[in-house]
Amino acid sequence: MKNRMNLKWAIPVMAISTQLLTGCGNSKPASAPKTETTAVADGYDDNFVAEAQSFADLQLLRYQVPGFKNLTLQQKKLAYYLYEAALCGRDIIYDQKSKEGIMLRKTIEAMYGTYNGDKQSEEWKQFETYCGRVWFSNGNYHHYSNEKFIPECTWEYFTEVLKASDAAKLPLENGENADAFLARIKPTVYDMKYKPKLVDLRPNVDNIVGSANNFYEGVTQKEVEAFYATFDSSANAPSWGLNSKVVKENGKIVEKVWKSGGMYGAAIDKIIYWLEKAAGVAEDAEQKKALELLAQFYKTGDLKTFDDYSIAWVQNTGSRLDAVNGFIEVYMDAIGKKGSFESTVSLKDMEETERIEAIAKEAQWFEDNSPIMPEHKKEKVKGITAKAITVIVESGDAAPSTPIGINLPNAEWIRAEHGSKSVSLTNIIHSYNVVSAKGGMAAEFAVNDTVLQRMKKYGSLASDLHTDMHECIGHASGKLNPGVATTDVTLKNYASCLEEARADLVGLYYIYDQKLVDLGVMPNLEVGMAGYDNYMMNGLMTQLTRLKPGEQLEEAHMRNRALVAHWAYEKGKKDNVVSMIKRDGKTYVQVNDYGKLRQLFGELLKEIQRVKSEGDYKGGKYLVETFGVKVDPTLHKEILQRFEGLGIKPYKGFIQPKLVPVMNGEEITEVNIEYPDNFFTQMMEYGKNYAFLPVMN
């Protein structure tokens, strides 16, 4: 289960307003100035340039960190140590995505950094774009579609550049020359038939064998499922398999655990070092306990310790700073067991937290009034901690492409017994909104001026509230029937899509509810109407801008939105709830009855909750394969042509801020924050400062 909702997966027409939101790294310390003792104005700078480089289908952005300057020195030290812990895990995500991932990255770093030939030629620019794509996706599989991509420049040019680069920096094997190295890596770089898909979610195939990720080697899906079937399956059992690679050695299936002294140990030891430094300057005893438990988990690889950490992390609600760090989300594994490394370091956005807290306090009301079956409702919703956060840095699977909302922990039993944290990433959303305000998506795809003006007025708020409800209420709602296993066992390759659809539907059902008006978090139900207009338009049409001609929907969030929108459209045809209309050769989505559309969302929510609660694999498969996968090629062609005319990149990600300690001898006297503006430079710096793992792990 992945408890994130990403703005990159939602068309940005909702984000119209630019005023949405009031021992490892080798960073060179600056000379020590006098430490500031007076508070300084630390909000958003309206002159800050959010846009950076763009290439291929990608737009790089920058984000500000308002509030950082006014932290205490102890808090800044804590932020810096957590920042280093986050970046020290960067190698891990490359290796998790592909056994050849680190080798590929080191190869392009050597070529990009040491080639001294003509850098104005068209082929160099094509090579440079390939480098950017690899860095953006943490490998050579598209961060969104999971499809392999190759350089646009010719193999001959690639060879020429490599041979003119510094061989000492290439990841050559002992005794290997450039020609032998090139022959070895050619399938990885240029052969589209060699490991073509990062995650293979197709039905009726071996999803493990078909996936190129580095979570399994030499084993079949049946063997893996049989292996984990022998583990404790009680309600509060750990998330078995979360932190390991499964391989076959001497005919026996074993786990290579990601821990100190195990797989990825060199990077994990660096993470532990910085986590222990962070624990030494923790804001309170609860935060210190959580950080120490996380370090202990990394030392031992014990998933029971990870559960202890997760509980302590949920219970730590009083500190200003926070961090997610670990093997968290399972979307990169076709059968939903293996966690991708990620980290997000943040500070609480005090002002924006008020809105999400108002929603969280009513969690029981939302559960009691949900349209799901009574037997699937929680009698008591526990411990939802909701807040808005300002991101300081992200890494691993959370960068450069980032979530805008996070709800953790993922373990169902911890959520039920101890609660969860739900956060909205306000400064990330702010940057998205600033850039989106300059685009023309709404004007091109809105069905009429009434819908357009409503999106401009309420679209940002509708997006925020839907994210809040999705993360804070949606993922925390509902329960499994007694004796039903977790969704990685029951729903398998459909689990992630169905969980995101379920959370989306909770948000959709309630953003058109008077309750949110009564709570004071939205002015009227027109906000919900703006949300419905956008969601249906996106699910039925505009998210197709992210696909190439002939592709079907593969990514779980895209499938989720298509499932919800197409199901509601089909079920509402009799009453003309939603219509697809043609005007001047263009297709538009028009919501004709918002009240009936809400009822349909409620019906689908009830069904998907039943599927989850009962572990109904066939029911889940029917929903996803019938409504969430197929693409109308004629409509797709039209959408791509209209989108191309807007000159907008379909995907966005971020250059990370940089924390720079000011030193007086061995003592940190200040931590400054910088905002780099060159993605390529940052990637090369990361490759130099945070490379701890060998080429093969």
Side-chain angles (χ1 to χ4, degrees):
M1 179 176 67
K2 185 173 184 178
N3 299 313
R4 301 196 298 182
M5 179 184 176
N6 292 33
L7 190 66
K8 65 187 182 216
W9 291 315
I11 192 168
V13 295
M14 298 185 73
I16 300 297
S17 171
T18 61
Q19 301 297 324
L20 170 64
L21 307 169
T22 39
C24 164
N26 299 317
S27 302
K28 294 182 180 179
S31 57
K34 294 181 179 179
T35 303
E36 286 188 71
T37 56
T38 57
V40 295
D42 195 14
Y44 288 109
D45 178 358
D46 291 338
N47 296 317
F48 184 84
V49 178
E51 299 96 328
Q53 292 80 26
S54 64
F55 48 88
D57 55 357
L58 307 170
Q59 171 70 62
L60 271 300
L61 306 178
R62 303 159 71 222
Y63 61 89
Q64 302 173 71
V65 189
F68 184 84
K69 292 178 182 178
N70 287 333
L71 296 175
T72 67
L73 179 57
Q74 178 183 339
Q75 289 172 321
K76 289 178 180 178
K77 288 181 180 179
L78 174 61
Y80 174 66
Y81 298 150
L82 292 173
Y83 163 93
E84 291 289 354
L87 293 175
C88 283
R90 179 174 181 258
D91 271 354
I92 296 174
I93 191 66
Y94 277 89
D95 195 76
Q96 287 181 319
K97 284 200 167 185
S98 169
K99 188 175 181 179
E100 296 107 353
I102 295 177
M103 177 273 292
L104 174 62
R105 197 195 73 214
K106 288 182 178 294
T107 300
I108 64 169
E109 285 171 352
M111 296 167 68
Y112 184 84
T114 66
Y115 177 66
N116 291 318
D118 180 9
K119 294 187 178 181
Q120 301 302 316
S121 70
E122 184 63 28
E123 286 209 294
W124 172 261
K125 293 177 182 177
Q126 291 172 340
F127 170 73
E128 186 176 48
T129 293
Y130 178 70
C131 293
R133 296 186 71 189
V134 170
W135 286 323
F136 191 96
S137 295
N138 299 308
N140 60 338
Y141 294 91
H142 194 279
H143 76 284
Y144 197 85
S145 71
N146 291 325
E147 300 286 342
K148 184 175 182 177
F149 57 82
I150 63 175
E152 292 183 333
C153 62
T154 64
W155 170 247
E156 289 73 22
Y157 180 78
F158 188 93
T159 298
E160 174 189 325
V161 173
L162 186 141
K163 287 187 173 182
S165 301
D166 184 353
K169 294 187 179 299
L170 291 169
L172 304 176
E173 294 181 347
N174 289 336
E176 189 175 40
N177 61 27
D179 287 327
F181 178 66
L182 282 162
R184 178 164 63 89
I185 70 170
K186 186 175 182 179
T188 298
V189 182
Y190 272 89
D191 187 351
M192 286 294 290
K193 294 181 180 179
Y194 177 75
K195 299 183 179 180
K197 188 184 292 288
L198 178 67
V199 187
D200 189 343
L201 294 172
R202 292 175 298 163
N204 308 316
V205 301
D206 190 313
N207 298 123
I208 284 177
V209 173
S211 298
N213 59 51
N214 195 26
F215 293 145
Y216 308 95
E217 188 170 356
V219 293
T220 67
Q221 184 171 347
K222 286 184 178 180
E223 287 175 323
V224 172
E225 290 173 349
F227 174 72
Y228 283 114
T230 65
F231 285 55
D232 174 20
S233 60
S234 58
N236 62 348
S239 300
W240 300 120
L242 187 69
N243 64 328
S244 67
K245 177 179 177 178
V246 175
V247 300
K248 190 179 289 185
E249 294 181 348
N250 300 318
K252 184 179 179 181
I253 295 177
V254 297
E255 289 185 306
K256 296 177 68 175
V257 180
W258 307 328
K259 67 183 184 71
S260 177
M263 190 172 178
Y264 303 144
I268 288 173
D269 285 343
K270 299 294 186 180
I271 297 173
I272 293 169
Y273 171 82
W274 290 107
L275 289 176
E276 291 182 337
K277 295 272 285 184
V281 292
E283 296 178 78
D284 51 45
E286 290 78 11
Q287 187 178 61
K288 179 180 175 68
K289 177 183 177 182
L291 290 170
E292 289 175 341
L293 282 168
L294 180 57
Q296 184 65 17
F297 161 68
Y298 275 127
K299 290 177 181 179
T300 64
D302 187 343
L303 285 166
K304 293 182 179 179
T305 302
F306 184 72
D307 284 348
D308 292 340
Y309 153 71
S310 298
I311 293 167
W313 178 77
V314 166
Q315 293 172 341
N316 173 219
T317 60
S319 56
R320 180 81 190 275
L321 277 82
D322 203 355
V324 171
N325 188 303
F327 307 112
I328 308 296
E329 307 292 1
V330 297
Y331 269 116
M332 217 164 75
D333 180 5
I335 63 170
K337 289 188 179 295
K338 306 300 175 184
S340 305
F341 174 81
E342 68 174 72
S343 185
T344 298
V345 180
S346 63
L347 60 95
K348 184 186 289 187
D349 182 329
M350 307 302 288
E351 183 177 346
E352 287 300 313
T353 293
E354 293 181 12
R355 182 190 71 241
I356 196 169
E357 281 184 340
I359 290 172
K361 289 176 181 177
E362 297 294 328
Q364 192 65 56
W365 185 93
F366 290 119
E367 185 78 353
D368 294 343
N369 289 275
S370 173
I372 66 177
M373 297 177 187
E375 60 266 32
H376 298 155
K377 296 180 181 180
K378 288 180 178 176
E379 293 80 8
K380 187 175 182 181
V381 180
K382 295 183 180 180
I384 296 176
T385 300
K387 60 182 178 179
I389 63 171
T390 300
V391 175
I392 297 172
V393 72
E394 294 181 294
S395 76
D397 202 29
S401 184
T402 170
I404 60 166
I406 302 172
N407 185 285
L408 293 172
N410 284 332
E412 290 281 352
W413 74 270
I414 296 178
R415 301 165 69 80
E417 295 183 19
H418 301 279
S420 60
K421 282 184 182 178
S422 179
V423 299
S424 175
L425 284 56
T426 57
N427 58 333
I428 296 294
I429 296 171
H430 178 83
S431 283
Y432 277 131
N433 287 346
V434 168
V435 174
S436 296
K438 304 173 184 178
M441 289 290 288
E444 175 60 37
F445 290 101
V447 65
N448 55 45
D449 190 62
T450 299
V451 168
L452 176 61
Q453 296 307 317
R454 186 161 55 220
M455 284 183 175
K456 288 183 176 181
K457 188 173 184 179
Y458 295 122
S460 292
L461 179 56
S463 180
D464 288 350
L465 288 172
H466 184 257
T467 300
D468 292 345
M469 294 297 302
H470 171 111
E471 301 294 349
C472 185
I473 305 300
H475 283 307
S477 67
K479 66 179 183 180
L480 301 178
N481 287 358
V484 174
T486 53
T487 56
D488 63 308
V489 176
T490 60
L491 303 181
K492 302 180 182 180
N493 50 312
Y494 299 110
S496 295
C497 170
L498 290 168
E499 174 58 24
E500 292 301 318
R502 193 182 67 87
D504 257 8
L505 285 161
V506 171
L508 290 167
Y509 187 76
Y510 283 117
I511 61 168
Y512 194 60
D513 193 303
Q514 183 64 29
K515 180 69 173 180
L516 296 189
V517 179
D518 296 341
L519 286 176
V521 297
M522 72 182 192
N524 53 57
L525 292 181
E526 278 198 271
V527 176
M529 295 167 71
Y532 283 15
D533 288 329
N534 180 75
Y535 196 94
M536 294 301 294
M537 183 172 67
N538 189 25
L540 292 173
M541 291 199 320
T542 49
Q543 71 169 355
L544 298 180
T545 58
R546 291 161 170 79
L547 298 179
K548 296 177 182 177
E551 290 182 343
Q552 299 294 297
L553 293 166
E554 293 279 352
E555 199 279 329
H557 292 77
M558 290 186 77
R559 285 183 165 193
N560 134 44
R561 284 190 297 274
L563 187 167
V564 171
H566 282 280
W567 188 96
Y569 172 67
E570 293 295 331
K571 299 300 180 182
K573 275 185 175 180
K574 179 181 177 182
D575 296 322
N576 195 31
V577 177
V578 179
S579 56
M580 303 278 283
I581 65 173
K582 281 278 192 179
R583 187 172 64 242
D584 300 326
K586 294 181 178 181
T587 307
Y588 298 91
V589 175
Q590 181 168 293
V591 179
N592 301 309
D593 192 323
Y594 294 91
K596 287 186 178 179
L597 181 56
R598 182 184 188 235
Q599 291 176 12
L600 290 170
F601 288 147
E603 291 174 19
L604 183 56
L605 172 58
K606 179 180 179 181
E607 172 60 9
I608 291 182
Q609 182 63 59
R610 182 200 65 77
V611 166
K612 178 180 179 179
S613 296
E614 297 178 1
D616 181 4
Y617 176 81
K618 289 184 178 180
K621 177 181 179 180
Y622 166 77
L623 287 173
V624 177
E625 294 293 339
T626 305
F627 300 101
V629 176
K630 300 177 180 64
V631 174
D632 179 340
T634 303
L635 178 62
H636 189 196
K637 180 179 179 181
E638 175 200 324
I639 298 302
L640 289 176
Q641 289 175 342
R642 292 165 67 181
F643 183 74
E644 185 179 4
L646 299 176
I648 301 171
K649 300 292 185 182
Y651 301 103
K652 296 177 176 63
F654 287 88
I655 300 171
Q656 302 301 314
K658 183 177 183 179
L659 298 189
V660 182
V662 178
M663 307 299 295
N664 184 359
E666 297 297 315
E667 181 65 24
I668 295 177
T669 59
E670 179 61 279
V671 179
N672 294 323
I673 189 164
E674 299 176 355
Y675 298 110
D677 60 6
N678 191 299
F679 177 69
F680 294 82
T681 300
Q682 182 168 82
M683 292 298 98
M684 290 296 288
E685 288 179 354
Y686 282 0
K688 176 183 178 182
N689 296 337
Y690 299 101
F692 304 111
L693 296 182
V695 171
M696 289 295 170
N697 294 277

